[in-house]
Amino acid sequence: KEQIAIDRADEALREDLLRVAEDMDDQGGDGARGELLEARTCAITRLLSKARVQRSTADVPKGILCPLSHRIMLDPVSTPSGSTYDRDFIETHIKTKGPTDPINPSEKVSLEKLVPNLSLKHYIDDFLEANPWAFDEDTYG
């Protein structure tokens, strides 16, 4: 509901700015000036949309971000010590840095001991369904 209200507010602002451009043209403003104002209107709209997304990124729960990639985990797995990572990143860590848990270096971990964290996966899936903007990996991390 909040997203719909924000989208409507953005659209209303865009319409207001375009109306100003039309009024300028109607009052004898040259076409180039109106086109410039319309270009500025589009730029402002893009800026507002980007700001809205940046505001939304503060709403990403920290617990769904992989401590290695700082991205939303798509395939969360837990180590025997209880740390959770995105599978691709912990597997790469194990293969390149050795069989240690990055958060708990004294704990040994192997690929075979990684366990899917299904409850977190379901939570993340629900979060992404409710917040499709979060799929854009440039918006968080």
Side-chain angles (χ1 to χ4, degrees):
K1 291 179 184 181
E2 183 179 327
Q3 184 65 43
I4 292 170
I6 291 170
D7 290 343
R8 286 184 183 151
D10 285 356
E11 185 58 31
L13 177 61
R14 186 179 191 301
E15 288 174 9
D16 287 346
L17 291 169
L18 288 173
R19 210 171 300 118
V20 169
E22 289 172 6
D23 289 348
M24 287 178 62
D25 284 342
D26 291 345
Q27 294 175 4
D30 65 359
R33 188 170 171 198
E35 288 173 16
L36 179 61
L37 187 54
E38 186 171 346
R40 286 183 181 162
T41 299
C42 291
I44 290 169
T45 301
R46 284 192 305 273
L47 181 64
L48 288 173
S49 294
K50 185 175 181 178
R52 185 180 70 237
V53 168
Q54 288 174 340
R55 265 195 328 264
S56 298
T57 61
D59 297 333
V60 175
K62 300 289 184 229
I64 71 172
L65 298 178
C66 175
L68 296 175
S69 68
H70 305 287
R71 301 279 188 225
I72 294 176
M73 292 182 272
L74 300 178
D75 186 10
V77 293
S78 295
T79 64
S81 64
S83 300
T84 300
Y85 305 96
D86 200 356
R87 181 181 297 277
D88 287 344
F89 291 94
I90 188 63
E91 286 182 354
T92 299
H93 172 84
I94 292 168
K95 291 173 185 172
T96 59
K97 308 266 189 212
T100 59
D101 186 318
I103 291 179
N104 302 306
S106 62
E107 299 289 330
K108 297 293 182 195
V109 65
S110 65
L111 298 177
E112 299 78 28
K113 292 190 179 185
L114 298 176
V115 178
N117 189 330
L118 297 178
S119 60
L120 182 58
K121 172 109 174 86
H122 293 303
Y123 176 81
I124 292 169
D125 290 345
D126 290 345
F127 176 81
L128 290 174
E129 186 175 330
N131 300 281
W133 54 264
F135 281 108
D136 180 3
E137 63 183 50
D138 292 330
T139 63
Y140 56 90

